[in-house]
Amino acid sequence: MPTISLPDHSELVYLDENRSAGRAVLLLHGLGATSDSWALQLPALTAAGWRILAADTPGFGRSRAARPFHSIAAMAAFIPALLDHLRLPKISLVG
């Protein structure tokens, strides 16, 4: 799975499936879970023509947090960094 470094020095590990699809969806896992929680939905989303992004929020799964997070807003700060890195101006968000 690809990894990017975030501005706060955390490392974000993410899934990027079906890259040639014309539309993208970012799947956000629940608190204490990982991107693996979306595994059963991947085949249906791929068949429906979606590019699938699913990241392990920093501090969960394979992603490393540079510091502890104390709010949902702080945990979600990785989203713009990921979209900028992938040059995706528009996505659908599920989570």
Side-chain angles (χ1 to χ4, degrees):
M1 293 175 75
T3 302
I4 64 169
S5 294
L6 300 175
D8 73 348
H9 306 292
S10 295
E11 290 180 355
L12 182 73
V13 178
Y14 65 96
L15 171 80
D16 188 355
E17 295 279 328
N18 203 20
R19 291 180 186 181
S20 63
R23 54 192 179 161
V25 61
L26 174 58
L27 306 173
L28 300 178
H29 64 77
L31 197 57
T34 70
S35 60
D36 293 337
S37 62
W38 294 103
L40 296 176
Q41 286 74 35
L42 300 183
L45 289 167
T46 299
W50 287 94
R51 178 179 181 176
I52 305 162
L53 305 169
D56 286 340
T57 302
F60 294 91
R62 294 166 288 271
S63 292
R64 182 185 58 78
R67 57 182 168 72
F69 292 97
H70 299 290
S71 71
I72 298 298
M75 290 177 64
F78 78 89
I79 295 171
L82 177 61
L83 299 182
D84 288 347
H85 173 76
L86 296 173
R87 296 187 176 119
L88 290 172
K90 183 178 176 182
I91 60 157
S92 293
L93 185 65
V94 176

